[in-house]
Amino acid sequence: MLYLLDANVLIDADRDYYPIESVPEFWEWLIYMGKKGEVKIPLEVYEEIKEGNKEDALTIWVKTASTEDALLLTEQVDAILVSRITDEGYAPDLTDNEVEAIGRDPFLIAYAMAKIKERCVVTTEVSRPRRLRENRHLPDVCGGFGVCCCNTFKFIKDSNFTTNWKTNP
């Protein structure tokens, strides 16, 4: 399974659970998993993170060559899938403001749909099935297309993350 990370996975991990300075093992493990081809970040999501706070540890970490080499998904997105996900997953008549609010989520889902049986979207968003249009959450949109979606904790559990991963990969 290839896990495709949403920006919020890294943002929330650094801010709340695994700060880069406090738990560097998590961030080293992500690079290791990226090199193994088990974790990637689509270009559109990667750029979103890079555009963040220029001084914070996460932005600095994501801009390093080793991080980019290991984690950046190097394939072209299927524009037809992005359009389909936007129209059918959110709404066909979104305003410019609504499209901006959705952000890069349709791209993330499109990369997963491209190889639907081999990929899983990882996000910290939780299901909110009653939300509509630009307020829809990734788990609900993914579910509508049959795309695997999980949260950070399921991802790290399924991937066997441990702080001593170097001695027990």
Side-chain angles (χ1 to χ4, degrees):
M1 182 68 64
L2 174 62
Y3 292 95
L4 300 175
L5 304 184
D6 188 14
N8 61 28
V9 171
L10 301 175
I11 294 165
D12 293 349
D14 182 43
R15 183 189 63 223
D16 299 329
Y17 311 112
Y18 312 111
I20 291 171
E21 296 87 8
S22 302
V23 190
E25 299 89 350
F26 176 74
W27 304 92
E28 293 165 4
W29 174 76
L30 283 176
I31 291 172
Y32 169 77
M33 294 295 283
K35 287 178 181 175
K36 283 181 57 179
E38 295 181 24
V39 176
K40 294 293 178 185
I41 304 170
L43 175 64
E44 295 79 5
V45 175
Y46 203 86
E47 289 174 345
E48 180 181 359
I49 300 165
K50 283 175 68 172
E51 294 167 4
N53 181 344
K54 305 296 184 217
E55 303 297 321
D56 75 359
L58 177 59
T59 305
I60 293 166
W61 177 81
V62 85
K63 288 181 177 181
T64 63
S66 62
T67 301
E68 188 170 326
D69 289 344
L71 293 174
L72 186 61
L73 182 64
T74 56
E75 64 184 54
Q76 294 294 316
V77 71
D78 182 335
I80 293 171
L81 278 180
V82 174
S83 180
R84 179 176 167 218
I85 290 160
T86 303
D87 290 349
E88 296 174 25
Y90 296 93
D93 60 345
L94 295 171
T95 66
D96 289 345
N97 288 340
E98 289 174 315
V99 170
E100 188 174 328
I102 291 169
R104 290 146 184 176
D105 290 355
F107 291 89
L108 181 60
I109 299 166
Y111 285 111
M113 277 186 71
K115 296 183 180 177
I116 199 164
K117 294 181 187 250
E118 302 168 18
R119 295 181 174 181
C120 185
V121 170
V122 183
T123 184
T124 62
E125 292 180 12
V126 295
S127 176
R128 299 277 191 257
R130 292 188 179 157
R131 294 205 174 169
L132 301 173
R133 302 181 65 85
E134 82 278 12
N135 296 314
R136 297 206 63 210
H137 282 202
L138 271 170
D140 303 313
V141 179
C142 284
F145 289 100
V147 172
C148 174
C149 185
C150 70
N151 66 30
T152 305
F153 300 111
K154 180 165 178 27
F155 155 62
I156 62 174
K157 182 179 180 185
D158 289 353
S159 300
N160 298 314
F161 170 68
T162 172
T163 53
N164 71 343
W165 69 270
K166 289 181 186 176
T167 58
N168 198 14

